[in-house]
Amino acid sequence: MHSFGYRANALLTFAVTILALMCAMASISDNFNHPSPSAHVEVLNINWFQKQSKGNDEVSMQLNISADLQSLFTWNTKQVFVFVAAEYGTPKNSLNQISLWDGIIPSREHAKFWIHTSNKYHFIDQGSNLRGKEFNLTLHWHVMPKTGKMFADKLVMTGYRLPEEYR
Ligand SMILES: *[C@@H]1O[C@H](CO)[C@@H](O)[C@H](O)[C@H]1NC(C)=O
Ligand SMILES: *[C@@H]1O[C@H](CO)[C@@H](O)[C@H](O)[C@H]1NC(C)=O
């Protein structure tokens, strides 16, 4: 009995060591993957654009979000969280960042997509700064690995502008 218990314990220790080693190798090999994601967001239409009774500007728009994030996926990738944000400066804040849409990509097969959608979250400015405002759209991603550290990055798309008038 004594020797069986000892061997079982030794086996377990060995298994745990191998597992730890595999996890370390998985996160190291992940660092050698240099992903090259691409994305494009088109503003297809401004649904409406108005000043709320509280004085804040709000805009609703149709977006066509297309992206190829397949290169973010390695065998160590559990899933990828993505979000699209509008970014612009105002006299009060040099950077305002407003999340417009997000999603979870469960696998490489789903990582090349386009989606025609209106903004899922409100595009509201705390003030009335949006008329004629230039803004950027950024696609952010957070890669959640099976083991190891999460990493995040983004693509910036420039040159968008809101209408001069409410509609
Ligand atoms: C959205 O963009 C994709 C890729 O650029 C394109 O194939 C598709 O036709 C576009 N859809 C709409 C509704 O504009
Ligand atoms: C958009 O992004 C570019 C490049 O990062 C930056 O120089 C520019 O100031 C940004 N524009 C706005 C309106 O935030």
Side-chain angles (χ1 to χ4, degrees), residues 24-38:
M25 275 162 57
S27 38
I28 290 168
S29 76
D30 244 17
N31 292 336
F32 291 112
N33 181 42
H34 295 294
S36 51
S38 63

Side-chain angles (χ1 to χ4, degrees), residues 98-126:
I98 298 181
S99 178
L100 301 180
W101 175 87
D102 62 11
I104 288 174
I105 304 172
S107 67
R108 191 185 167 88
E109 290 70 50
H110 295 93
K112 192 173 175 182
F113 62 91
W114 67 265
I115 175 169
H116 178 193
T117 178
S118 53
N119 48 296
K120 182 170 164 186
Y121 304 112
H122 294 292
F123 187 167
I124 298 175
D125 177 63
Q126 302 301 318

Side-chain angles (χ1 to χ4, degrees), residues 25-128:
M25 275 162 57
S27 38
I28 290 168
S29 76
D30 244 17
N31 292 336
F32 291 112
N33 181 42
H34 295 294
S36 51
S38 63
H40 180 69
V41 181
E42 203 181 338
V43 178
L44 297 174
N45 188 39
I46 302 292
N47 299 327
W48 46 263
F49 180 27
Q50 62 195 30
K51 188 170 178 163
Q52 300 174 323
S53 51
K54 284 181 227 144
N56 295 330
D57 280 353
E58 178 168 9
V59 59
S60 165
M61 48 198 192
Q62 291 291 320
L63 302 170
N64 185 12
I65 301 165
S66 57
D68 181 350
L69 306 179
Q70 286 185 316
S71 63
L72 294 176
F73 281 80
T74 67
W75 61 276
N76 189 34
T77 307
K78 191 164 154 220
Q79 61 184 24
V80 174
F81 172 71
V82 282
F83 70 96
V84 171
E87 297 185 355
Y88 60 95
T90 51
K92 223 166 137 192
N93 298 306
S94 60
L95 176 65
N96 297 273
Q97 189 189 62
I98 298 181
S99 178
L100 301 180
W101 175 87
D102 62 11
I104 288 174
I105 304 172
S107 67
R108 191 185 167 88
E109 290 70 50
H110 295 93
K112 192 173 175 182
F113 62 91
W114 67 265
I115 175 169
H116 178 193
T117 178
S118 53
N119 48 296
K120 182 170 164 186
Y121 304 112
H122 294 292
F123 187 167
I124 298 175
D125 177 63
Q126 302 301 318
S128 86

Side-chain angles (χ1 to χ4, degrees), residues 87-89 95 134-136 156 158:
E87 297 185 355
Y88 60 95
L95 176 65
E134 275 186 38
F135 65 105
N136 287 343
V156 182
T158 60

